[in-house]
Amino acid sequence: MDLVFHAARAVTPDGERSCSVGVSDGRIAAVDDYGALSGDRVVELREDEVLLPGLVDTHVHVNDPGRSDWEGFDTATRAAAAGGVTTIVDMPLNCLPPTVDVASLDVKRRAAEGRIAVDVGFWGGAVPGNRGELRPLHDAGVFGFKCFLLHSGVDEFAPLDETGLEEAMRELAEFDGLLIVHAEDADTIEGAPAAHGRAYTDFLGSRPSAAENTAIARVLDLARRTGARVHILHLAAGDAVPLVAQARADGVRVTAETCPHYLSFVAEEIRDGATEFKCCPPIREAGNREELWRALGDGVIDCVVTDHSPCTPELKRFDTGDFGDAWGGIAGLQVGLPAVWTGARSRGFTLDDVVRWMAQRPAEQVGLASKGRIAVGCDADFAVFAPDEAFVVDRTRLRHRNPVSAYHERALAGVVRASWLRGREINLEHGAEPFGEFLSREESAVPVRSGQH
């Protein structure tokens, strides 16, 4: 073995166990009893550390090229590694050009080349007029296609109307492509009070849960009729959970995700003018948060990913605190694991559950069979995690490009002490050469679950 980990605690597909993990040529070659393996290098985990598979975050806005002052591949991937995330899949919007054809995908790959500290894959976009680009993008290796059903926040990534949504689904069904949907209904939001001013309650009223429910119902109905695979992004409305559960029971191929901020924060505690908490869909009330936790426990919501959507401090409009004018997005890539673990353990969940939500299921959802598990044949991606070590988030010490964080001054449990990518420890020091690789969709993709929850 090139490398061996001895871990009194490790989270494997069979549950938490004491074991040794052997690595050869960047892949896991053996998982055996504790102390049973030897190698050229041996890493002994401390008593308070747990060996986790590297997390897989399939919802990251890197914003590069074009808006790299918001984030960028260098800062985003180092923040990911600092948070135990060893694989990200980058969203197709907020970069310029958006990833809506093969030429723009090539531009993005060139921008990222030599600058990524973790492995990176890419989503394509489904926008009006690019139906003919979907198959070429699929063949070029994107993991699926994101669409909006209302204004995306940037003019260059337009939403699909109902006809365009159905056309995209029918096209993707031809080659079993995956459609991932920002599911909020434009008409419902148009009929709600406009977002303005410093009061968070006013902003929340401008994005009612009915907008999610209506949009999700439409997506599921079209998925039934077209046979397309669909994934509901950043599910925030607990009362939409039964829609997903029923569709899956009916055989619709649908998965759903939620995000650490929906599991951590509640509307009742957000101060007026605290625009660092603005995101779309919005953070809802405490009772809604508990519905999301129950849906995770029941398996209706499949995974937890960050929807890391950063911006410059100026775009958050801290000068006025106006929720109507501020950019909507939460930067959480580095703190997603401790945020989820803090909430999970207080509700009786285990690290097995967290690994399933944040590593195994996201990898399965995009078909990365070699990621998200400590199992023979998988990439040797690991996070060394101290689950009982507490810390207080300091936005100025995060590796995100801009010091904006809804988690600032929040006490969390769990510290990532090291991350390993394909058997090499990731060096986060300034000037260290990154060695992340580009990932493409695998032909042996794991099918989206249906008929169970």
Side-chain angles (χ1 to χ4, degrees):
M1 305 290 176
D2 304 325
L3 172 69
V4 169
F5 291 88
H6 294 322
R9 298 176 64 191
V11 177
T12 75
D14 297 323
E16 186 177 310
R17 59 174 289 196
S18 173
C19 65
S20 290
V21 179
V23 176
S24 291
D25 296 325
R27 288 187 175 264
I28 298 171
V31 180
D32 208 333
D33 294 338
Y34 183 89
L37 303 175
S38 60
D40 297 339
R41 179 181 180 187
V42 175
V43 176
E44 293 271 1
L45 268 65
R46 301 174 186 174
E47 289 184 0
D48 65 338
E49 295 175 340
V50 185
L51 188 66
L52 309 182
L55 304 189
V56 178
D57 193 338
T58 56
H59 196 149
V60 178
H61 294 269
V62 178
N63 308 330
D64 194 2
R67 292 189 175 99
S68 56
D69 56 329
W70 295 17
E71 189 61 276
F73 282 104
D74 47 358
T75 52
T77 57
R78 290 183 188 276
V85 177
T86 54
T87 300
I88 67 169
V89 186
D90 175 47
M91 283 291 165
L93 72 155
N94 302 343
C95 50
L96 295 170
T99 315
V100 295
D101 53 34
V102 173
S104 60
L105 176 63
D106 290 341
V107 169
K108 179 169 283 192
R109 283 177 169 153
R110 287 196 297 272
E113 192 167 3
R115 299 172 58 214
I116 53 176
V118 301
D119 285 352
V120 176
F122 302 98
W123 295 107
V127 297
N130 85 324
R131 180 176 178 176
E133 303 291 343
L134 302 182
R135 183 60 183 261
L137 274 167
H138 177 83
D139 292 342
V142 301
F143 287 89
F145 301 89
K146 181 175 187 177
C147 72
F148 280 76
L149 307 184
L150 77 173
H151 194 277
S152 68
V154 291
D155 292 337
E156 67 273 6
F157 199 94
L160 296 176
D161 61 16
E162 188 155 359
T163 298
L165 181 64
E166 182 171 356
E167 289 177 350
M169 283 195 192
R170 292 195 181 281
E171 178 69 19
L172 295 180
E174 290 292 321
F175 51 88
D176 203 31
L178 174 65
L179 187 69
I180 64 175
V181 186
H182 181 123
E184 288 184 285
D185 178 63
D187 290 340
T188 302
I189 290 176
E190 183 68 25
H196 68 282
R198 295 174 54 84
Y200 185 77
T201 52
D202 290 344
F203 169 65
L204 183 60
S206 75
R207 315 284 293 213
S209 60
E212 283 192 79
N213 300 341
T214 299
I216 289 170
R218 180 183 306 129
V219 169
L220 295 174
D221 179 60
L222 285 172
R224 274 190 191 90
R225 290 197 271 130
T226 63
R229 293 192 293 140
V230 295
H231 177 73
I232 306 301
L233 296 166
H234 44 51
L235 181 61
D239 50 4
V241 168
L243 299 175
V244 176
Q246 184 59 57
R248 189 175 292 160
D250 292 343
V252 176
R253 296 191 296 165
V254 56
T255 49
E257 68 185 39
T258 193
C259 305
H261 43 275
Y262 300 127
L263 300 170
S264 299
F265 305 120
V266 293
E268 294 91 334
E269 296 175 359
I270 297 176
R271 308 179 315 278
D272 289 350
T275 53
E276 64 268 30
F277 291 93
K278 180 181 176 179
C279 57
C280 301
I283 295 162
R284 304 193 188 279
E285 299 84 356
N288 182 89
R289 178 180 64 181
E290 298 314 307
E291 290 181 30
L292 298 178
W293 277 108
R294 282 193 292 273
L296 271 172
D298 292 342
V300 181
I301 296 177
D302 300 87
C303 52
V304 182
V305 291
T306 62
D307 188 10
H308 178 70
S309 186
C311 66
T312 61
E314 293 77 16
L315 288 173
K316 277 296 187 181
R317 294 310 306 269
F318 295 128
D319 55 339
T320 65
D322 191 315
F323 280 94
D325 294 338
W327 175 258
I330 288 180
L333 186 54
Q334 186 172 334
V335 296
L337 172 57
V340 174
W341 171 235
T342 299
R345 72 174 189 170
S346 71
R347 292 168 174 82
F349 294 109
T350 67
L351 279 173
D352 288 6
D353 297 312
V354 173
V355 164
R356 184 173 64 256
W357 300 330
M358 302 189 76
Q360 182 177 335
R361 286 271 176 81
E364 289 175 351
Q365 191 247 327
V366 296
L368 284 173
S370 63
K371 299 291 188 182
R373 296 177 298 136
I374 297 178
V376 173
C378 289
D379 286 352
D381 301 345
F382 306 106
V384 177
F385 188 57
D388 297 324
E389 183 177 348
F391 72 104
V392 176
V393 178
D394 179 349
R395 65 189 174 209
T396 67
R397 297 176 64 86
L398 297 175
R399 294 180 180 272
H400 309 153
R401 174 144 295 166
N402 293 289
V404 177
S405 175
Y407 296 92
H408 180 58
E409 297 186 338
R410 189 172 183 88
L412 298 177
V415 171
V416 175
R417 293 183 176 164
S419 294
W420 297 69
L421 179 65
R422 285 175 277 104
R424 296 174 63 185
E425 187 171 3
I426 301 173
N427 186 345
L428 296 176
E429 295 302 317
H430 182 70
E433 183 177 354
F435 54 88
E437 296 181 357
F438 294 145
L439 302 173
S440 293
R441 176 190 44 78
E442 299 172 3
E443 291 299 335
S444 57
V446 177
V448 171
R449 298 184 306 143
S450 64
Q452 58 175 316
H453 59 271

